[in-house]
Amino acid sequence: QGITVHFCSFTKLAGVWKKLRGAISYDSENQTALYIRMLGDVRVRSQVGFEPEPRGSHPYLCVDFRTLHSRPQSAGPVSARNVRRLLSFQRYLHSSRFIRGIPASNPLGYILDDDYTGQAKLMLEKVGNWNFDMFFFDRLTNGNSLVNLTFHLFNSYGLIELFQLDMVKLRRFLVMIQEDYRSLNPYHNAVHAADVTQAMYCYLQEPKLAETMTSCDLLLGLLAAATHDLDHPGVNQPFLIKTNHYLAALYKNSSVLENHHWKSAVGLLRESALLSHLPTEDRLNMEERLGSLILATDISRQNNYLSEFRTHLDKRDLCLTNGRHRHFILQIALKCADICNPCRPWKLSKLWSEKVTEEFFHQGDIERKHHLEVTPLCDRQSNSVANIQIGFMTYVVEPLFVEWSRFSDTRLSQTMMGHLSLNKQGWKEGRDKQEANTSRASEEQRTSDAKDSNSKELPQGSKRS
């Protein structure tokens, strides 16, 4: 019933589409429905449920994406969402005091409030360290790792001053980004986005990039990293296509998720009015370049980018004073940041691997439950974390990072390749050990069954010789 009301209401509003494009409006007949228009990508939100797609032939389309990875939670007097709203209101009060000109020894403190201080602030002093533990940082910041990290990087690069960004608008924009990631996703959530943003910063600090990237390149690189998986539903593109999801139809089965992430990011940029003070032409150009970066993370286009990168390196014709070449390197850097988990220290890499595999297996469980063809990578009955990671490292990660090391032969590249080799070996040893234990257990079971069989064959009262 809710979805009928929502889409009927949307039809009524179609006549004023252009005027409200990129804006937010409430349905006067149903105050629980919130429409966000983003360049044709319409999401429908409701307090009573969430069904962003029209009903189709598959029963899965009645399943709420947001309950895909739900976990039973103990009831409490104050929900986590209400706590976040209270914290947001506290930030609003602090920001208002700052705007009214109330003096402070540290103006940024009013924007970042208490969770920015202490151990979290000490960690940010080492944000360029490849061993940066984003899980720990997320705990220190009360689940606000993406907001605090990105704000810190914008400030440290001087982008707030260079682009004359309103700090309150920036904070609001970053909070909206963080909240648009689905926290119930085991992997594609705001912590992953923060981790990719930190990796992107590490790459931007590499000599070849640090010496050539413009302030606009830095701004777009960080924005793309922070928003590259925005509103990820926790399932992959083939799943959306075979379930006739409305996003697959909207983007004609091509880079479906990446297009959605990009348009979602543009929607939030416009809603927050973060760049509204810039000339229209510049703003639209930045939105297009942002999309070009996010679309580069489409794993199905991996070989195209890898082949072009390898050709440039073979010809030695990359010139980073050329804007087009700089943009291409930003695309490659974002691709590396997006899949760099196997290049992190084992403790972090293993945890990321377990989380992404958990998300894969959840998709496989849903497919099996609704009698859909189970995606091989998502089948927990025929796959393991080790096998998935070994294949991912061998065929996706290693080829890309070998070329990145050719392009930027630095200590960081050597560190990443070292971790990649050790982690791959670690998964192989773990798999071999598990297979050996399974084989041993099977042999012991067969021996035990044979003994039981022999014992049963003895006549009653007889003795073994």
Side-chain angles (χ1 to χ4, degrees), residues 96-246:
S96 298
R97 292 181 64 195
F98 177 69
I99 292 172
R100 292 197 304 270
I102 298 177
S105 57
N106 177 17
L108 290 181
Y110 286 126
I111 302 298
L112 300 174
D113 62 51
D114 295 339
D115 63 12
Y116 187 74
T117 60
Q119 294 184 64
K121 187 173 182 179
L122 290 176
M123 280 194 73
L124 285 176
E125 292 176 1
K126 299 181 179 180
V127 69
N129 191 324
W130 189 247
N131 297 337
F132 195 91
D133 187 341
M134 193 56 66
F135 298 107
F136 184 52
F137 182 71
D138 193 62
R139 291 194 294 271
L140 289 179
T141 57
N142 302 315
N144 290 299
S145 55
L146 182 58
V147 173
N148 287 345
L149 175 82
T150 311
F151 197 106
H152 171 79
L153 295 178
F154 268 60
N155 186 53
S156 63
Y157 269 127
L159 298 175
I160 297 175
E161 184 178 357
L162 282 169
F163 288 92
Q164 299 181 337
L165 301 178
D166 183 302
M167 286 196 291
V168 177
K169 287 183 179 179
L170 175 59
R171 177 74 191 205
R172 179 169 175 258
F173 171 66
L174 295 177
V175 168
M176 288 192 297
I177 288 176
Q178 184 172 269
E179 291 186 349
D180 248 23
Y181 277 95
R182 306 187 184 189
S183 59
L184 294 181
N185 287 348
Y187 181 80
H188 288 104
N189 51 42
V191 184
H192 165 65
D195 191 64
V196 171
T197 304
Q198 189 271 338
M200 189 67 168
Y201 172 72
C202 290
Y203 300 149
L204 291 173
Q205 292 292 98
E206 291 287 78
K208 283 189 177 181
L209 280 71
E211 295 167 3
T212 57
M213 291 293 160
T214 66
S215 56
C216 189
D217 294 329
L218 298 174
L219 176 70
L220 288 171
L222 294 176
L223 277 179
T227 61
H228 80 285
D229 273 333
L230 196 59
D231 196 40
H232 196 293
V235 291
N236 60 18
Q237 174 173 294
F239 182 91
L240 297 179
I241 293 173
K242 68 185 175 185
T243 55
N244 298 325
H245 192 274
Y246 84 102

Side-chain angles (χ1 to χ4, degrees), residues 65-86:
F65 270 132
R66 299 194 174 199
T67 62
L68 257 181
H69 311 295
S70 59
R71 297 284 185 276
Q73 297 180 351
S74 58
V78 182
S79 69
R81 183 173 181 81
N82 287 337
V83 170
R84 285 200 302 273
R85 290 189 175 187
L86 288 172

Side-chain angles (χ1 to χ4, degrees), residues 249-261:
L250 180 62
Y251 298 118
K252 300 178 180 178
N253 298 343
S254 178
S255 298
V256 175
L257 287 170
E258 291 73 26
N259 271 299
H260 179 57
H261 305 324

Side-chain angles (χ1 to χ4, degrees), residues 10-19:
F10 170 69
T11 304
K12 295 176 185 178
L13 292 168
V16 290
W17 169 263
K18 291 184 179 179
K19 183 179 294 186

Side-chain angles (χ1 to χ4, degrees), residues 220 223-224 227 262 265 269 286-294:
L220 288 171
L223 277 179
T227 61
W262 167 32
L269 273 172
M286 292 178 73
E287 291 176 358
E288 286 298 317
R289 291 180 63 191
L290 178 65
S292 177
L293 290 172
I294 294 175

